[in-house]
Amino acid sequence: MIYHINQIKVGLDYTDQVVAKKVLQLAKIQAKDLKYFKIIRRSLDARHQPVYILTVEIKTNVKIAKSPDIQQYKPPAKVGVSVKILNYRGPEPIVVGAGPAGLMAALVLAENGVSPVIIERGEPALERARQITSYLKTGSLNTESNILFGEGGAGLFSDGKLTARSKDRITTQYFFQKLVEFGAPDTILIDAEPHLGSDLLLKIIPRIRDKIIQLGGTFHFNTKMKSLEISQGALSKVHSDSDVFETTNCILAIGHSARDVYRYLSSTGIALAPKPFAIGVRVELPQSKVNEAQYGSFANNNKLGAASFRLTHKEEGDYRACYSFCMCPGGEVMPCASSPGMMTTNGMSWSARDGKKANAAFLVPVNERDYSNYKDEKYPALEGLFFQEAIEQKIFKAGGSSYLVPAARLSDYLNNKASDSLPDDSSCRRMQITNINGILPNFVETTLKYAIPKMISKLNYPDFREVVVYCGETRSSSPVRIVRTQDSYESISIKGLYPCGEGAGHAGGIVSSALDGIKTAEALLKNISGIKKEPVD
Ligand SMILES: Cc1cc2nc3c(=O)[nH]c(=O)nc-3n(C[C@H](O)[C@H](O)[C@H](O)COP(=O)(O)OP(=O)(O)OC[C@H]3O[C@@H](n4cnc5c(N)ncnc54)[C@H](O)[C@@H]3O)c2cc1C
């Protein structure tokens, strides 16, 4: 019998022997009856003397009495992908986009008998990294290969936080095991808040590509999908800027910055729906102060790593809710752009998370009512996108029209003035000190100026001169959904077209986008194999 034992407290230096001893004590069994044990979850509790809280799986022939912290466990019947196609002779499916969703979809197809063709508008990961380094120095933007576009997708230069909100633990575990197979540390399989960092992602992504190629897949970089050809309601060709690909199946994993594709889809009548998202600013403060707030007197214990935070502020009167998002401990604020004359922010860190600053977005939710003025009959459902673009143009101008992020000390932002300087070690490599008031819509700005001081104060950090506000963060998630069916994952407008990942509005973040890629590929395999359709979720 297999059991899961929860709430096992061990010190930061624990060994297997320590864990085994605790297991025997808690399960009340003898060493000879323990067939195996493995740690399946580990979270840090630093509220007092820091400890890890473990969940441990054990196998024993002895029946253990049930208790709140000990449950019998039945392994799931299905692990990984359930369909394999033998001797597939149909046209190769096209995967548009090599972000987490597209790459995982391509890998699942390739591993299960259907070699895909991947088209990606940007460069392969390492070449893309060189371009980004050059952009950070010069501000010369390559609109096709940048912090948002190129192999690895939007998350290549990220903190690589593997936040997993999905209830589908099995597909999540399958994805994490794939990451480990391609070079991620196996601690991601057990840690409650795993992260990779951009340096590890830069190693992992090319290995995923190599595996797909080894299994028969092909990659076309610097190749942009432009349009689709439809015959009797079904997909027949995918046109790129340099080729025409004959196919009956295409996974569209374009991310939320492919605005040219959204315009194309909208103008050709493919079903889209506007969706809520959130906008705000990126806030930076000393990592040491976050460590002090979270670890107290243990802040200097270097075994604890850089601390993170999650802060929220409830809606109050006319003020909307505000929440911190995509926190990057020891990280760097990224000056993101993918279209000429528009600018937004995000954050990244290296696996060591050893930078002096912590940053996070502070966001305010926006919905269809907020951007209804941006409707354009020529492009149904894209009003949220036009609203984003209008703000990003203001950000670009406020930064001096040179791909610099407008920045100010929080104290000056609150007093509506430009800062004379920023604190030492401010991380953003392209920023312009200026008055950042008036860039964001008034309802967002008033909420941020009300909520951020209260939220930062929860970290016992009242020195608002040392907090930097970078304006602004606009692409927390897609402003539009490409509508698809629940059973086959196909667009409701075109048979054989599979909108997928964050850009399709069905995911947000690396893990959920990758999971959506896996499930979409599984749906496509089922459709090809003629297996009776049932909802994939
Ligand atoms: C700087 C930064 C940091 C982030 N940090 C984190 C984090 O720590 N944790 C987290 O969970 N999430 C993070 N995110 C968000 C995360 O990266 C995205 O949610 C995720 O990458 C979405 O995956 P996706 O595959 O759906 O889309 P994307 O990753 O956006 O990939 C889409 C791909 O499609 C390509 N493409 C677009 N249009 C075309 C076309 N017409 N033809 C061919 N190719 C095309 C793009 O070049 C891109 O490579 C971060 C994002 C950014 C920008």
Side-chain angles (χ1 to χ4, degrees):
M1 281 164 290
I2 296 174
Y3 294 89
H4 283 179
I5 309 183
N6 302 312
Q7 297 294 326
I8 300 183
K9 284 189 191 165
V10 291
L12 300 183
D13 293 322
Y14 71 88
T15 59
D16 277 357
Q17 284 87 336
V18 169
V19 179
K21 201 169 156 200
K22 293 239 175 193
V23 162
L24 296 176
Q25 274 168 2
L26 289 165
K28 299 193 179 80
I29 57 172
Q30 296 186 357
K32 68 175 174 52
D33 295 322
L34 184 62
K35 304 292 172 214
Y36 77 74
F37 75 91
K38 66 176 181 191
I39 299 166
I40 55 168
R41 194 162 171 80
R42 180 175 78 171
S43 58
L44 180 68
D45 183 351
R47 283 171 297 178
H48 312 289
Q49 173 76 32
V51 287
Y52 281 125
I53 313 272
L54 307 180
T55 299
V56 178
E57 179 173 305
I58 69 164
K59 188 170 182 186
T60 176
N61 291 333
V62 178
K63 194 163 171 29
I64 300 176
K66 255 175 80 192
S67 79
D69 288 330
I70 304 184
Q71 286 103 33
Q72 197 174 343
Y73 174 72
K74 283 204 180 79
K78 179 201 145 188
V79 179
V81 175
S82 59
V83 202
K84 204 164 187 98
I85 311 271
L86 300 174
N87 303 320
Y88 178 69
R89 294 210 170 77
E92 292 151 320
I94 306 294
V95 176
V96 183
L103 280 175
M104 284 313 293
L107 182 66
V108 166
L109 292 176
E111 285 186 332
N112 292 286
V114 180
S115 304
V117 174
I118 299 99
I119 63 176
E120 167 54 60
R121 70 198 298 162
E123 293 275 5
L126 294 180
E127 178 52 31
R128 179 183 171 204
R130 281 190 278 277
Q131 287 170 337
I132 291 171
T133 307
S134 155
Y135 159 75
L136 290 173
K137 271 194 199 134
T138 64
S140 162
L141 175 71
N142 178 334
T143 54
E144 307 307 323
S145 196
N146 47 54
I147 296 170
L148 299 155
F149 288 158
E151 189 188 29
L156 184 67
F157 276 83
S158 79
D159 176 56
K161 253 179 307 303
L162 300 176
T163 311
R165 291 193 192 89
S166 170
K167 289 195 188 105
D168 182 352
R169 303 304 310 163
I170 296 179
T171 313
T172 308
Q173 198 66 5
Y174 170 78
F175 172 50
F176 283 18
Q177 271 157 358
K178 287 287 159 200
L179 290 173
V180 171
E181 189 180 321
F182 295 111
D186 58 7
T187 46
I188 67 166
L189 300 174
I190 60 170
D191 277 338
E193 295 191 7
H195 96 109
L196 294 170
S198 301
D199 45 338
L200 282 182
L201 283 161
L202 272 166
K203 287 190 184 136
I204 293 168
I205 299 295
R207 289 180 189 162
I208 299 179
R209 180 216 311 150
D210 290 347
K211 181 72 182 183
I212 295 168
I213 293 172
Q214 194 194 328
L215 291 167
T218 41
F219 279 78
H220 296 251
F221 289 105
N222 300 306
T223 304
K224 179 162 59 174
M225 175 238 147
K226 297 286 276 187
S227 61
L228 306 167
E229 231 177 283
I230 322 294
S231 173
Q232 294 176 334
L235 182 72
S236 60
K237 285 178 192 148
V238 172
H239 290 251
S240 79
D241 44 5
S242 51
D243 283 300
V244 180
F245 299 90
E246 297 216 9
T247 187
T248 46
N249 292 295
C250 170
I251 293 182
L252 199 58
I254 50 171
H256 62 23
S257 294
R259 291 165 171 174
D260 49 350
V261 182
Y262 288 140
R263 280 184 165 85
Y264 164 72
L265 297 175
S266 168
S267 65
T268 49
I270 291 167
L272 305 177
K275 66 176 263 308
F277 53 101
I279 60 173
V281 289
R282 203 149 263 264
V283 172
E284 178 171 82
L285 63 164
Q287 181 63 50
S288 57
K289 299 296 170 191
V290 181
N291 292 351
E292 278 168 27
Q294 306 294 55
Y295 300 150
S297 57
F298 301 97
N300 293 327
N301 182 339
N302 53 19
K303 288 214 177 80
L304 289 173
S308 61
F309 61 76
R310 253 189 218 122
L311 299 168
T312 52
H313 193 270
K314 282 196 186 135
E315 194 178 324
E316 213 182 298
D318 285 343
Y319 301 111
R320 294 198 185 185
C322 182
Y323 59 95
S324 68
F325 178 73
C326 189
M327 197 253 155
C328 299
E332 185 173 331
V333 173
M334 295 304 271
C336 302
S338 55
S339 320
M342 296 182 211
M343 187 89 229
T344 184
T345 51
N346 213 304
M348 68 147 256
S349 25
W350 306 107
S351 55
R353 282 182 165 171
D354 54 1
K356 292 199 171 146
K357 300 286 174 161
N359 69 69
F362 281 63
L363 300 178
V364 175
V366 297
N367 57 44
E368 282 173 58
R369 275 197 311 279
D370 298 317
Y371 45 76
S372 56
N373 287 346
Y374 289 81
K375 278 196 171 128
D376 179 341
E377 278 179 16
K378 215 170 119 204
Y379 296 112
L382 295 194
E383 48 269 32
L385 186 156
F386 299 137
F387 171 71
Q388 272 181 333
E389 286 187 336
I391 298 169
E392 290 179 15
Q393 283 163 1
K394 285 177 98 176
I395 297 172
F396 178 76
K397 283 200 188 113
S401 303
S402 309
Y403 298 102
L404 298 165
V405 182
R409 292 177 189 262
L410 176 57
S411 48
D412 294 323
Y413 181 41
L414 298 176
N415 290 319
N416 191 3
K417 46 181 221 185
S419 302
D420 44 13
S421 65
L422 292 190
D424 289 344
D425 303 316
S426 297
S427 72
C428 185
R429 283 187 259 176
R430 295 196 61 75
M431 53 87 185
Q432 172 73 49
I433 302 173
T434 185
N435 186 342
I436 60 171
N437 279 259
I439 300 174
L440 297 176
N442 193 39
F443 70 91
V444 175
E445 186 162 285
T446 43
T447 293
L448 290 173
K449 288 171 82 168
Y450 180 72
I452 291 175
K454 295 186 187 330
M455 292 162 81
I456 299 278
S457 298
K458 287 185 194 160
L459 297 171
N460 305 322
Y461 192 54
D463 189 353
F464 296 159
R465 260 188 72 72
E466 292 302 304
V467 176
V468 182
V469 183
Y470 297 93
C471 186
E473 191 115 341
T474 50
R475 302 192 202 176
S476 61
S477 69
S478 174
V480 63
R481 181 168 289 126
I482 310 174
V483 187
R484 69 184 185 192
T485 65
Q486 216 208 328
D487 56 356
S488 78
Y489 276 39
E490 287 162 296
S491 150
I492 61 167
S493 310
I494 304 177
K495 196 172 158 25
L497 181 69
Y498 295 78
C500 170
E502 181 153 41
H506 296 286
I510 294 171
V511 176
S512 74
S513 302
L515 260 50
D516 201 50
I518 294 167
K519 289 178 179 178
T520 304
E522 196 174 8
L524 192 158
L525 289 167
K526 280 188 184 166
N527 294 343
I528 286 180
S529 69
I531 290 178
K532 197 174 163 317
K533 292 170 190 167
E534 18 168 283
V536 187
D537 249 338

